[in-house]
Amino acid sequence: MCSAMDGGTIEMEGNLYHVLGAKQFSRSELDELFEASRKMEEVVRYGGSRDHQGRIMTTLFFEASTRTRLSFESAMSRLGGSVIGTENAAQFSSAIKGETLEDTIRIVSGYSDVVVMRHTDIGAAKRAAAVASVPVINAGDGAGEHPTQALLDAYTIQKEVGKLDGVRIAMVGDLAYGRTVHSLSYMLANYKDVVIYYISPDNVQIPKSVKRYMDEKGVRYVETADLDAVAGEIDVLYQTRIQKERFPSLEEYEKASGKYIVDERLMSLMRKEAIVMHPLPRAGEIAEAVDRDPRAAYFRQAQNGLYIRMALVDKCLKSIGF
């Protein structure tokens, strides 16, 4: 039997563990996962492990990816396992022949012990988990969610700022199609006294569904167009790319493009303890000169993705007895 919760874990026989959305994680689960990630940093430092030797991960990426795909593949390798899959499943899988996502997942479940999938469609990961016989990890579903990015983002904030309770964060850029800000918002709702500033061009504002969730959880948020006005108040500036590929027209993209740039002038307005994060890739919205500032945390943030994904893969495999 299978029971599903919105954005949550689907429990099946053998306590099969899927990672589908940021809402599924409680604060205690996050504490546990972050502690496991700290231990994975030590595992990497000492050359990896053989805990999951003989186990196989399938990576199915129907959208382009560098950091997410490679960090998952590195995670599995460092845990002693191996990887099969494709970086362009839309072109080089049977999807091009008309095979349904469900049939693809049924097949690859028989070849591997965990499936990591990125897809163009919102909700694709839930569809995959509903038919999979192994754990499924959502590596991004269209403009919907990116839960593993939210996990590494929260882990980075905890490491760099020293807290998640009481954190003040400005989320800047494409908030409508930016799945990373949706997932991070949901995850931060687990913590006390968080303040989120949503800063975006008019045509890519944070969705009402995200704001409703924040209201339900009692999270304080402010919508504003004035980044300069809040720059001195925040602990984290979370910049995002204006995603040209998700806009319905070039005209709509051009309305949003280039409105917010993190440069040395903006950095001068920020507190010396504040950090700049970005899920990457960047496309001009952070000046390269900012890379020299010790507050630029985005490359350290990307590195943290390896440790978080090692901890997740380990948890998924242990859920099926490995």
Side-chain angles (χ1 to χ4, degrees), residues 110-236:
Y111 300 157
S112 54
D113 303 298
V114 60
V115 175
V116 178
M117 186 181 77
R118 172 170 290 187
H119 203 278
T120 55
D121 295 344
I122 295 174
K126 292 181 186 178
R127 288 170 51 201
V131 299
S133 57
V134 298
V136 172
I137 301 177
N138 179 6
D141 58 341
E145 279 211 59
H146 196 344
T148 68
Q149 180 71 45
L151 287 165
L152 74 90
D153 290 342
Y155 185 57
T156 299
I157 294 169
Q158 187 181 75
K159 286 178 65 177
E160 297 273 341
V161 180
K163 65 179 182 180
L164 285 162
D165 286 323
V167 75
R168 292 172 171 259
I169 180 170
M171 298 187 183
V172 184
D174 178 1
L175 307 187
Y177 304 112
R179 57 194 173 200
T180 65
V181 298
H182 305 165
S183 290
L184 183 55
S185 294
Y186 297 147
M187 196 157 288
L188 289 176
N190 284 287
Y191 297 92
K192 299 176 182 178
D193 303 320
V194 170
V195 180
I196 303 175
Y197 297 94
Y198 291 124
I199 302 170
S200 68
D202 289 343
N203 61 333
V204 284
Q205 294 180 338
I206 195 75
K208 291 180 180 178
S209 58
V210 177
K211 292 191 289 185
R212 278 196 301 270
Y213 189 82
M214 296 296 101
D215 289 336
E216 290 169 6
K217 296 297 182 179
V219 178
R220 183 185 167 199
Y221 62 87
V222 178
E223 291 184 274
T224 178
D226 193 346
L227 176 55
D228 284 7
V230 305
E233 304 295 322
I234 57 177
D235 302 299
V236 181

Side-chain angles (χ1 to χ4, degrees), residues 79-130:
L79 291 170
S82 57
V83 180
I84 60 175
T86 175
E87 63 179 302
N88 191 353
Q91 183 177 354
F92 296 118
S93 77
S94 291
I96 202 169
K97 303 175 184 177
E99 183 173 64
T100 66
L101 173 63
E102 285 79 3
D103 280 1
T104 298
I105 295 300
R106 289 182 178 102
I107 294 298
V108 301
S109 289
Y111 300 157
S112 54
D113 303 298
V114 60
V115 175
V116 178
M117 186 181 77
R118 172 170 290 187
H119 203 278
T120 55
D121 295 344
I122 295 174
K126 292 181 186 178
R127 288 170 51 201

Side-chain angles (χ1 to χ4, degrees), residues 63 177 179 241-248 253 281:
E63 277 191 334
Y177 304 112
R179 57 194 173 200
R241 177 174 65 93
I242 302 297
Q243 302 175 90
K244 186 176 182 179
E245 69 273 16
R246 301 213 187 278
F247 281 78
Y253 165 73

